[in-house]
Structures are given as structure tokens and as C-alpha cells.
């Protein structure tokens, strides 16, 4: 359901290693969102999470993208956990959840934790809320052995995108998106 028919769709490339988000600007050109990183703005958002316990109050802190890399490299490794390549597990029935420092996270929760800050930074860059997206999806998800696994992967990816705050999601096969580029 499209709640904002006048709002343009935003393109999302959720990748195993990096993710990106773009919009079409007047005249038909695309504009990539940029994300804050230690060495300046970057058009890609690393597809990683880093969890650490706050030294002052013991609360669990979740860092995503470039911030996750920075926190991982500057923190005491034994007090944190780095999670990457989440997209690779979307079709796997073996990975349903994991325990991170005493808290259980489903795969859809982890991916939502990754994509929410990506969405928020893109909204800041574009100056408008982003609820409607066209997201790339593999023709065949990694590890999928049949249609049931593909269906599971799409269901999980949809839930992940909703967890990140995207309300209206359309999928496009990644090779088609690459052909448009």
C-alpha cells in the first residue's frame, strides 16, 4: 500500500558487505545518500553491526555501518561483538536467532538494526522521510535450495525492512537494477 503517492520511491541496495540508498532527482539523475564516517562522507554504508556494553551503565549499545567499524577498531574486543554478512543467512533455516550479550536477536531484528540508521541518515541527507522504497533482491538467495527457501528469504527481508521503518516495500531483482544503472 502506497500511503504517499506523491513521494518518490527511493532505491535501496542492501548488500552483504556494503549498502547504499539513492533517489531520483528532477531531470532523472540519481543521487546517492552519503553517510558520516571518520574519514569524511561516504556513499556506502558498511553492512556490519557492533554490539558493546556501555562502561557507565552496562546497557547494550548497537552501532551500525561506518560507526560500527570505528567502535570495533577503537574498543576492547573482548567487550563487544561484530556481526557481518547478515544477508547471506536470509534463506537459511539454520539461523533463526542469536544471543548477543544476554539478549536474543532474530535475523530480521539484526538487519533492521543495521538498516534503520542507514534510513535515518538518508532522510537527513534528503530532507524528507523515507517510507517507500524499491529494494534490490537476489534472483537466488545464498543457500536457497528451493522455492520455500526463497520465500523465507523474501519474508525475512521484508520484515527486516519494516523493522527499519520502511513501510512500503517493492522488490526488484538485482540484475535488473544493475542494468538500469
Amino acid at each position: 500500500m502506497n500511503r504517499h503517492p506523491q513521494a518518490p520511491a527511493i532505491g535501496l541496495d542492501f548488500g552483504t558487505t556494503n549498502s547504499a540508498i539513492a533517489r531520483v532527482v528532477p531531470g532523472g539523475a540519481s543521487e546517492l545518500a552519503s553517510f558520516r564516517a571518520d574519514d569524511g562522507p561516504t556513499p556506502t554504508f558498511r553492512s556490519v553491526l557492533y554490539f558493546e556494553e556501555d562502561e557507565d551503565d552496562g546497557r547494550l549499545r548497537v552501532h551500525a555501518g561506518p560507526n560500527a567499524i570505528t567502535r570495533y577498531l577503537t574498543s576492547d574486543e573482548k567487550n563487544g561483538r561484530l556481526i557481518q554478512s547478515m544477508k547471506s543467512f536470509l534463506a537459511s533455516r539454520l539461523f533463526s536467532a542469536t544471543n548477543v550479550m544476554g539478549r536474543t536477536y532474530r535475523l530480521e531484528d539484526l538487519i533492521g538494526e543495521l538498516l534503520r540508521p542507514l534510513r535515518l541518515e538518508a532522510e537527513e541527507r534528503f530532507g524528507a522521510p523515507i517510507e517507500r522504497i524499491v529494494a534490490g533482491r537476489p534472483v537466488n538467495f545464498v543457500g536457497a535450495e528451493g522455492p520455500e527457501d526463497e520465500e523465507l528469504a523474501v519474508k525475512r527481508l521484508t520484515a527486516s525492512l519494516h523493522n527499519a521503518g520502511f513501510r512500503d516495500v517493492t522488490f526488484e531483482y538485482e540484475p535488473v537494477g544493475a542494468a538500469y544503472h
Side-chain angles (χ1 to χ4, degrees):
M1 177 176 81
N2 184 359
R3 295 182 198 163
H4 306 283
Q6 72 284 4
I10 304 292
L12 170 67
D13 178 9
F14 167 50
T16 305
T17 305
N18 292 299
S19 296
I21 195 165
R23 69 177 177 174
V24 175
V25 296
S30 62
E31 175 186 20
L32 281 169
S34 58
F35 305 98
R36 291 181 289 278
D38 283 348
D39 55 352
T42 178
T44 57
F45 193 88
R46 291 295 305 266
S47 299
V48 298
L49 292 173
Y50 183 67
F51 293 81
E52 65 181 342
E53 288 184 2
D54 187 282
E55 293 176 7
D56 296 325
D57 62 15
R59 292 177 52 200
L60 189 60
R61 303 283 184 219
V62 183
H63 306 280
N67 189 39
I69 299 294
T70 299
R71 295 300 303 174
Y72 173 73
L73 294 174
T74 60
S75 69
D76 184 359
E77 293 176 26
K78 62 183 173 276
N79 291 327
R81 181 166 174 197
L82 184 73
I83 298 177
Q84 58 188 351
S85 303
M86 292 169 275
K87 181 179 178 180
S88 299
F89 297 97
L90 284 166
S92 173
R93 295 179 188 282
L94 298 176
F95 186 119
S96 59
T98 189
N99 185 295
V100 179
M101 299 175 180
R103 183 170 172 193
T104 300
Y105 286 87
R106 296 175 310 135
L107 181 59
E108 302 87 44
D109 299 329
L110 292 170
I111 295 172
E113 289 284 348
L114 170 72
L115 295 177
R116 185 177 308 104
L118 176 138
R119 178 185 59 81
L120 293 172
E121 280 200 58
E123 287 178 344
E124 186 179 309
R125 168 73 170 91
F126 295 153
I130 300 171
E131 292 186 348
R132 179 177 168 233
I133 61 161
V134 177
R137 62 146 290 185
V139 172
N140 296 302
F141 284 88
V142 172
E145 295 182 11
E148 316 80 37
D149 294 341
E150 295 288 336
E151 186 178 314
L152 173 65
V154 170
K155 181 179 174 185
R156 284 177 160 175
L157 185 52
T158 301
S160 300
L161 293 165
H162 288 168
N163 288 343
F166 298 111
R167 299 290 165 239
D168 185 355
V169 178
T170 302
F171 289 107
E172 185 64 66
Y173 288 115
E174 289 170 351
V176 172
Y180 279 116
H181 176 68

